[in-house]
């Protein structure tokens, strides 16, 4: 059953030092419903003065939070998980409204996002150090893990809850205080979650949330403050590169979760239904607006035609509509600009020899819709083989042998996720070893799991989020103490 979110509460102000404040310049940002193009709410447009207030608040709260007993911090994080779970339906509806994703995808996102609090509540009490004897025998080596300091977190619009909690929960578990700058398109979820953290007992200033139309200058100002020691960014590779350069000026530790161009490889010996089910998840979860989305579907010649037929049937059966309507399976894109980009990529692919089997034309209706689309005969020269499509378009590339498909899969600057479907496990593991990606779905279309290290190689990023120790380690520094006794 859907529930109506309180849009007024979700847009009541910047969240700084435990207070809800207007932007000091008085300006606001419109939040648009991509399903209807109507303005849902307005949120404050933070200035440099607001950014500086957020750093002050995070600094003021730092010592109390890092010195709080890990068990107490753990219980607060656990409460965040419980409250998110209790309010999952309202949060899911809010995500569907501001992001446009289908409610079923939003429900999945809330469960995933909440899980980072449960997982890190458990991690918070398991931060250990090291103790050993130096090889020369002269002294002991003690290694202590300490919170890194104030963290700036910047997140995208495609997973407004999960991209924030995947950073905030481990940072809080490690004992850090944070400033979150969510995407301008989807700030309401970030503010609603901040209210939940407050209710769960997160002290004022430990989490601060700022929305702005000037992310570049605000980020520069925050990173220039020597108390800020970590930049954790999720977004496009282009912005990530610029932020790495900015962080280098202050030698700030960076975690980068960037773009992807996932190959989805189906061998002749794959279980056809499993491959089709996997393709629908890897391609169509979030209507294709996922960094892990299958961007290039490589299908071996022997299974090619059956795969195309099955995929077209499944894509044509999808119910397209406003995200927050329960029957919707494929919602709109985030903005008109996103639809323009998809249209440009499809036109370019057609000009380079691709054939549209289904979809392929923008509908004449309000909202930023693009239909589920399947293209065959896609060419490696097409722009969509190089760029993220970030939409419900599945281009199918035919291949003949293993070495050829590995070379084509790796012919990209990205290396986030990849998918391989085969009944031959040794072949699957061999190809998984050869494909340059941080995460592989072997006979699975979904890889995300808070208990597994999420992240990419090559220009898809630096560092890992989630996982046994990886996620929390990003927010800690090792301190080595040499001592003798
Ligand atoms: P984006 O344009 O890079 O924006 C991401 C965030 O960065 C937003 O909060 C944005 O603020 C902010 N930003 C933009 N320019 C900035 C600047 N000069 N300085 C500081 N911050 C800046 O990416 P997006 O379009 O929102 O998200 C889609 C991208 O994210 C895709 O490439 C996708 O693959 C990637 N992604 C990666 C992962 C992963 O885990 N690897 C997960 C999800 C998404 P505004 O909203 O105000 O512009």
């Amino acid at each position: 059953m859907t529930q109506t979110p309180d849009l007024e509460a979700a847009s009541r102000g910047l969240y700084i030092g435990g207070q809800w404040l207007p932007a000091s310049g008085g300006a606001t940002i419109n939040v648009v419903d991509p399903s209807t193009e109507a303005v849902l709410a307005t949120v404050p447009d933070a200035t440099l003065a607001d950014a500086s207030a957020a750093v002050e608040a995070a600094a003021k709260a730092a010592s109390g939070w890092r010195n709080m007993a890990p068990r107490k911090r753990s219980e607060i994080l656990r409460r965040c998980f419980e409250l998110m779970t209790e309010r999952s339906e309202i949060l899911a509806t809010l995500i569907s409204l501001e992001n446009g994703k289908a409610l079923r995808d939003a429900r999945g996102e809330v469960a995933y996002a909440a899980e980072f609090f449960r997982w890190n509540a458990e991690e918070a009490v398991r931060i250990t150090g090291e103790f050993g004897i130096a090889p020369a025998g002269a002294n002991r080596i003690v290694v202590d893990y300490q919170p890194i300091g104030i963290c700036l977190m910047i997140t995208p619009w495609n997973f407004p809850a999960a991209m924030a909690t995947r950073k905030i929960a481990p940072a809080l578990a490690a004992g850090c205080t944070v400033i979150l700058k969510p995407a301008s398109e989807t700030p309401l979820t970030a503010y609603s979650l901040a209210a939940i953290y407050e209710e769960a007992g997160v002290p004022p200033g430990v989490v601060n949330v700022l929305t702005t139309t000037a992310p570049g200058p605000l980020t520069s100002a925050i990173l220039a403050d020597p108390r800020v020691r970590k930049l954790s960014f999720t977004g496009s590779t282009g912005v990530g590169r610029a932020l790495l350069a900015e962080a280098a000026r202050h030698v700030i530790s960076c975690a980068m979760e960037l773009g992807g161009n996932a190959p989805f490889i189906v061998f002749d010996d794959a279980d056809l239904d499993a491959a089709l089910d996997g393709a629908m998840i890897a391609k169509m979860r979030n209507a294709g607006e996922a960094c892990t989305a299958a961007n290039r579907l490589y299908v071996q010649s022997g299974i090619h035609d059956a795969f195309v037929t099955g995929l077209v049937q499944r894509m044509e059966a999808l119910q397209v509509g406003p995200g927050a309507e329960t029957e919707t399976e494929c919602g709109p894109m985030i903005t008109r600009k996103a639809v323009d980009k998809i249209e440009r990529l499809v036109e370019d692919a057609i000009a380079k020899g691709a054939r549209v089997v289904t979809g392929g034309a923008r509908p004449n209706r309000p909202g930023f819709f693009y239909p589920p689309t399947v293209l065959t005969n896609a060419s490696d020269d097409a722009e969509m083989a190089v760029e993220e499509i970030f939409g419900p378009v599945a281009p199918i590339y035919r291949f003949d042998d293993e070495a050829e498909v590995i070379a084509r899969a790796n012919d990209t600057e990205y290396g986030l996720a990849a998918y391989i479907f085969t009944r031959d496990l040794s072949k699957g593991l061999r190809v998984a070893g050869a494909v340059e990606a941080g995460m592989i779905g072997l006979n699975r279309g979904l890889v995300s799991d808070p208990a597994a290290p999420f992240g990419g190689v090559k220009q898809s990023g630096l560092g890992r989020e989630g996982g046994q120790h990886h996620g929390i380690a990003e927010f800690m520094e090792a301190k080595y103490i040499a001592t003798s006794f």
Side-chain angles (χ1 to χ4, degrees):
M1 192 186 66
T2 59
Q3 295 174 23
T4 312
D6 184 346
L7 297 178
E8 227 169 275
S11 56
R12 72 190 120 149
L14 305 171
Y15 185 63
I16 300 175
Q19 292 188 298
W20 298 95
L21 303 168
S24 56
T28 55
I29 307 170
N30 285 343
V31 184
V32 172
D33 177 348
S35 301
T36 62
E37 305 182 36
V39 173
L40 279 172
T42 58
V43 295
D45 186 357
T47 62
L48 294 184
D50 300 319
S52 156
V55 178
E56 284 307 323
K60 199 164 155 220
S63 131
W65 185 249
R66 73 186 278 152
N67 292 319
M68 184 183 279
R71 172 65 68 207
K72 181 96 198 305
R73 282 207 301 267
S74 164
E75 279 163 2
I76 293 172
L77 294 184
R78 171 80 199 189
R79 189 72 191 125
C80 290
F81 161 73
E82 285 162 359
L83 288 174
M84 279 186 74
T85 306
E86 275 167 30
R87 317 237 167 109
S88 58
E89 207 48 33
I90 286 195
L91 287 169
T93 308
L94 183 57
I95 292 172
S96 288
L97 282 173
E98 67 172 350
N99 167 282
K101 71 175 70 178
L103 201 51
R104 65 177 191 175
D105 287 335
R107 287 179 178 134
E109 180 184 348
V110 175
Y112 176 56
E115 199 57 46
F116 284 102
F117 278 106
R118 175 155 66 175
W119 179 262
N120 285 287
E122 292 155 356
E123 288 295 298
V125 289
R126 315 235 187 281
I127 299 168
T128 55
E130 293 150 38
F131 182 83
I133 187 161
N139 63 289
R140 304 290 158 148
I141 294 169
V142 180
V143 185
D144 186 23
Y145 288 92
Q146 300 193 320
I148 195 166
I150 298 175
C151 308
L152 172 61
M153 302 170 163
I154 303 177
T155 50
W157 47 263
N158 67 336
F159 288 92
M163 295 305 97
T165 63
R166 201 165 76 181
K167 299 181 187 303
I168 292 173
L172 264 51
C176 298
T177 59
V178 311
I179 300 159
L180 171 71
K181 206 295 292 167
S184 313
E185 290 91 350
T186 56
L188 303 176
T189 305
Y191 284 126
S192 299
L193 290 176
I196 286 181
Y197 311 148
E198 183 177 72
E199 193 180 334
V202 173
V206 171
V207 177
N208 305 278
V209 185
L210 290 174
T211 34
T212 180
T213 52
L218 247 82
T219 301
S220 300
I222 293 174
L223 294 182
D225 190 309
R227 293 169 294 182
V228 176
R229 298 306 320 145
K230 182 87 192 184
L231 169 63
S232 179
F233 172 73
T234 299
S236 59
T237 295
V239 173
R241 276 191 207 110
L243 289 176
L244 280 168
E246 182 72 32
R249 296 178 57 209
H250 311 286
V251 193
I252 284 178
S253 164
C254 288
M256 294 275 146
E257 294 288 348
L258 308 177
N261 181 5
F264 185 100
I265 302 170
V266 184
F267 285 99
D268 282 345
D269 63 358
D271 175 329
L272 179 62
D273 280 332
L276 288 166
D277 290 348
M280 290 306 287
I281 297 170
K283 179 74 252 179
M284 295 306 292
R285 188 169 65 103
N286 254 15
E289 294 179 314
C291 53
T292 50
N295 207 56
R296 296 168 290 154
L297 286 80
Y298 293 106
V299 185
Q300 204 164 12
S301 292
I303 200 171
H304 178 275
D305 293 355
F307 184 87
V308 171
T309 305
L311 190 66
V312 168
Q313 269 169 9
R314 282 167 159 82
M315 292 286 262
E316 287 180 346
L318 288 175
Q319 180 81 31
V320 178
E325 285 181 8
T326 40
E327 62 278 10
T328 294
E329 295 170 303
C330 177
M333 303 296 97
I334 188 73
T335 53
R336 183 172 305 286
K337 201 171 142 211
V339 181
D340 292 344
K341 177 187 170 185
I342 296 166
E343 199 168 61
R344 168 178 67 78
L345 290 176
V346 170
E347 280 168 12
D348 169 78
I350 293 168
K352 288 172 181 155
R355 193 169 74 80
V356 179
V357 192
T358 189
R362 183 197 295 239
N364 183 16
R365 63 184 285 182
F368 309 130
F369 289 92
Y370 197 87
T373 295
V374 177
L375 305 177
T376 53
N377 202 33
S379 152
D380 290 356
D381 297 333
E383 286 171 23
M384 65 170 59
V386 180
E387 280 182 54
E388 290 182 285
I389 302 168
F390 242 59
V393 178
I396 298 181
Y397 303 78
R398 191 189 280 266
F399 77 93
D400 288 308
D401 72 68
E402 186 182 317
E404 171 210 338
V405 78
I406 291 170
R408 290 169 73 187
N410 288 341
D411 187 17
T412 168
E413 67 185 17
Y414 294 107
L416 190 61
Y419 305 89
I420 299 159
F421 281 75
T422 171
R423 281 199 178 93
D424 177 345
L425 187 57
S426 65
K427 176 163 70 182
L429 290 171
R430 187 171 66 236
V431 176
V435 169
E436 296 163 353
M439 299 174 289
I440 309 275
L442 181 50
N443 294 318
R444 271 187 68 77
L446 183 69
V447 292
S448 305
D449 188 323
F454 188 105
V457 300
K458 294 160 78 176
Q459 297 203 29
S460 284
L462 300 170
R464 294 292 180 271
E465 294 188 331
Q468 298 246 325
H469 309 294
H470 307 79
I472 201 164
E474 293 284 348
F475 298 102
M476 294 188 298
E477 293 267 39
K479 177 173 281 179
Y480 154 53
I481 303 164
T483 186
S484 320
F485 58 86

